[in-house]
Amino acid sequence: MCEILLKKKKIIPKKTRRLKSRARRWTLLKVAGPLVLLVFVALGLYVTSLDQVIRQKFAGKRWALPAVVYARPLELYADLPFTAGMLAEELQLGGYRRDKTAEDPGGYDLRGNVIRLVTREFAFPDGLEKSARITVEFSGSVVRKISRTDSGEELALARLDPARIGSFHPLENEDRIVYSREELPDLLIKTLLAVEDRQFYSHFGVDPLGILRAMFANIRAGKTVQGGSTLTQQLVKNFFLNNERTLQRKFNEVIMSLLLEVHYSKDEILTAYVNEIFLGQDRGRAVHGFGMASQFYFRRELKDLSAAQFAMLVGMIKGPSYYDPRRYAERCLLRRQVVLEVMRSEGVITAEVFALAKADKLEMSGAVQSAFNRYPAFLDLVRRQLGQDYREEDLTSDGLKILTTLDPQVQMQVEKHLGETLSALEKRTGTSELEGAVIVSSREGGEILAVAGGRNALQPGFNRALDAQRPIGSLIKPVVYLTALANGYTLASPVADVSLTVIAAGTKDWRPANYDKKEHGLVPFHEALAHSYNLATIRIGMDVGVEKVVENVKRAGINRDFEPYPSFLLGTAELPPLEVAQLYQLFATGGFYQPQRVIGSVLTLENKVVQRFGLTVEQRFPPEDVFLLNTALQRVVNNGTARSLLNYIPETVQAAGKTGTTDELRDSWFAGFTGDRLAVVWIGRDDNKPTGLTGSSGALVVWGKIMQALHPQPLELVEPEGLEWARVDAGIYGRSLGAFRDNVVLPFVAGTVPAGAERASSSSAPAAGDTQEWNVPGVLNTIRDWFQ
């Protein structure tokens, strides 16, 4: 039986078994080897691609830094018309904080009529202005004295760092202030490492022990209470990846962290983390980095923060929205206390500092409104002017510093009175949906000080100051009269204000009319302008030639093509308020073309001046003719359609200006200038329906209230050589319809004094407030304004 079993059981020799096993392993190796090799090659290629991503983004320009836009710097000196309240308001706008006692840069205190402040260091085009402790004393509505707070030394001038009014962001809408490693406060670094990554300087990008500690802590707590990510991993997640919770994203994070540590030093990684970490949201702008967060939450430089403030910011890393101090103060305070405990236990701060910091209230300032495009209409104009010299990429990534001409005090008055007056006009007239636009500039320099693109100044969108092209009505008339003065007319020339029919081939006959539907007979040239007589203007314009008027509009700086139709003489040309301001700038400067500007200079991130926008001046009209025109424009205010302006500013200001009204009262305009400022106001409706307002009953009211608040300087016209003054007999015009005229003293270009006129001197001309001529029409205009 046993023999039979032995025969059935086949015995395989050991050597044969070894050979078969080796064959199977070889077969497996031949199959698996290429697969493993393929995996390693693919992994190598994948890691190489991640390595390229890291080096390309991290080695070059790491952040797209927005161009930062600043207002004009505030210069204080004795006798400057400025109140303590105005200075406090502008300091708040500039990101200053009100302290009990001003000790650190960016702080001020207000006690009665005395403000003590510590200015912030700022690089101006002419050099670095270091931080200074100054005291400003006020007497009523003027600055009485400026002195150094420490020594009491009196200062002739103090220049404050300008308010940040906006920035031009890339698509990501991120904002940050970039610091170098040397600029980072030691207390911040120690706190950050104690709370977020104590083994930072010893691990290689990933901390396995830290991951295990976090795992056990989370298991014990039954929830996630501790993270195991290193600072390097957090930087990779924020800088290169997103917040997706996937295995691939986590794998990428680990690999990229290892690669980052291979290529860059610990200090480079730490510095990048401090500048990159997300710490809050300011409306549409993401606040990145401790530098920007320090300004956003405390209005302080990073180096000036206290232990409690550093603890708050570091604590917010865990959840900027969850620990937002402005929304969840108690939650944020508890988190800050946890961080302070860590700082004490790790020896970052002493027990005494801990006790003081723990007792501190949760200090924070209100949101810095100036930091995110506080003035969208003005910034729109800045961006357009910069676009002529810079690429969009330069404006949104190179960190340029744009120093502009915006005057916050003027801008605030423009916004206030435009909005308030439009609301009052709507109630008075029963009209709804009124809109408006305002441009204010300096009279002599052409710097644009304020822009309002609509009644809601904070709302971006359609910028009526720049883009609302509307018929300008009688605002065109000064060009007509200037053209006439250059072609043989004088201020005393008699003009027939009687009806006429304009016949042109291919068009219907045109019979223009005056606003009051009346004829005024033979009138003096200056009276026709003062009362904005249409019939007289048409006759003057047709006499000198419409083509010449159109040409002079272009010479004044309006680069548009207009057809020389007779209706052009009454303002059918459509212009935005910005171009009207440019037109009137020529009158205000005595015939000099001077492009209006909003930018003073442009500096690089390193504070090197790359461009200055200086004055460009070109004489385009004879100063004698412009002086005569401006004299007539002053009469528009003193005795003409703009006489109601004297309800808002004194007659001694001797403002010059012109009202404008279009057909069916669709547009209300006023343009004018004082000794220091020029302004243009437009009121209308976006749907182009009638407003029920004339130039004097609408736009002039806004203009007057703005100027009233700004306390304008008197307009003193500089008389050029070659002029003569003479008293003109009113009898040469016959009797005025509705009033008797008095004789009037007028200026003339030498050799053009009319026959029979009595020679006089400029001192014989009526002073401000005198009503030497046609008193009754002036009264009638005022009464008419009451009903309008």
Side-chain angles (χ1 to χ4, degrees), residues 491 627-628 631 634-635 717 719-720 722-728 744-750 753-754 757-766:
L491 293 182
F627 179 86
L628 299 182
T631 301
Q634 285 180 318
R635 293 176 178 275
L717 300 177
E719 182 179 336
L723 292 184
E724 300 175 347
W725 292 76
R727 186 182 303 277
V728 179
V744 59
V745 175
L746 296 171
F748 297 87
V749 175
V753 175
E758 178 185 349
R759 301 284 176 164
S761 65
S762 59
S763 59
S764 304

Side-chain angles (χ1 to χ4, degrees), residues 45 219 407 489 561 565 598 605 696:
L45 291 174
I219 292 173
D407 186 328
Y489 281 79
D561 294 323
Y565 297 132
V598 292
L605 186 63
S696 60

Side-chain angles (χ1 to χ4, degrees), residues 442-447 556-557 581-582 585-586 589 591-597 614-620:
S442 65
R443 182 177 77 89
E444 294 184 348
E447 300 96 348
Q582 181 65 71
Q585 188 76 41
L586 182 124
T589 55
F592 288 92
Y593 170 70
Q594 182 175 302
Q596 292 190 315
R597 57 196 178 95
L615 291 176
T616 302
V617 179
E618 179 186 349
Q619 180 84 54
R620 292 195 175 179

Side-chain angles (χ1 to χ4, degrees), residues 424-608:
L425 290 173
E426 286 177 337
K427 291 180 180 178
R428 195 185 81 187
T429 63
T431 305
S432 62
E433 300 179 8
L434 285 180
E435 269 297 350
V438 181
I439 297 282
V440 181
S441 66
S442 65
R443 182 177 77 89
E444 294 184 348
E447 300 96 348
I448 294 180
L449 309 176
V451 179
R455 64 190 300 172
N456 187 347
L458 291 176
Q459 181 178 339
F462 183 53
N463 192 341
R464 296 165 187 83
L466 278 58
D467 298 322
Q469 298 190 37
R470 306 293 289 254
I472 64 173
S474 294
L475 294 193
I476 196 67
K477 288 178 180 175
V479 184
V480 178
Y481 284 71
L482 178 60
T483 305
L485 289 170
N487 285 272
Y489 281 79
T490 72
L491 293 182
S493 295
V495 183
D497 185 63
V498 295
S499 61
L500 74 163
T501 301
V502 179
I503 302 173
T507 62
K508 293 183 178 180
D509 293 350
W510 180 43
R511 294 183 61 83
N514 285 322
Y515 175 79
D516 60 5
K517 307 302 180 184
K518 297 179 180 178
E519 300 177 15
H520 303 92
L522 197 64
V523 298
F525 181 92
H526 62 82
E527 181 180 330
L529 179 59
H531 293 286
S532 201
Y533 292 151
N534 290 339
L535 299 177
T537 301
I538 288 288
R539 290 182 177 276
I540 292 171
M542 296 287 286
D543 181 44
V544 299
V546 182
E547 294 83 0
K548 289 184 179 180
V549 177
V550 171
E551 181 184 343
N552 280 342
V553 170
K554 287 189 175 184
R555 286 179 63 196
I558 308 304
N559 295 317
R560 293 176 179 268
D561 294 323
F562 299 106
E563 294 295 334
Y565 297 132
S567 59
F568 179 84
L569 302 171
L570 298 186
T572 56
E574 297 181 351
L575 294 175
L578 178 65
E579 293 187 43
V580 174
Q582 181 65 71
L583 178 66
Y584 275 70
Q585 188 76 41
L586 182 124
F587 307 147
T589 55
F592 288 92
Y593 170 70
Q594 182 175 302
Q596 292 190 315
R597 57 196 178 95
V598 292
I599 305 166
S601 56
V602 178
L603 285 74
T604 66
L605 186 63
E606 296 76 25
N607 297 318
K608 295 181 180 179

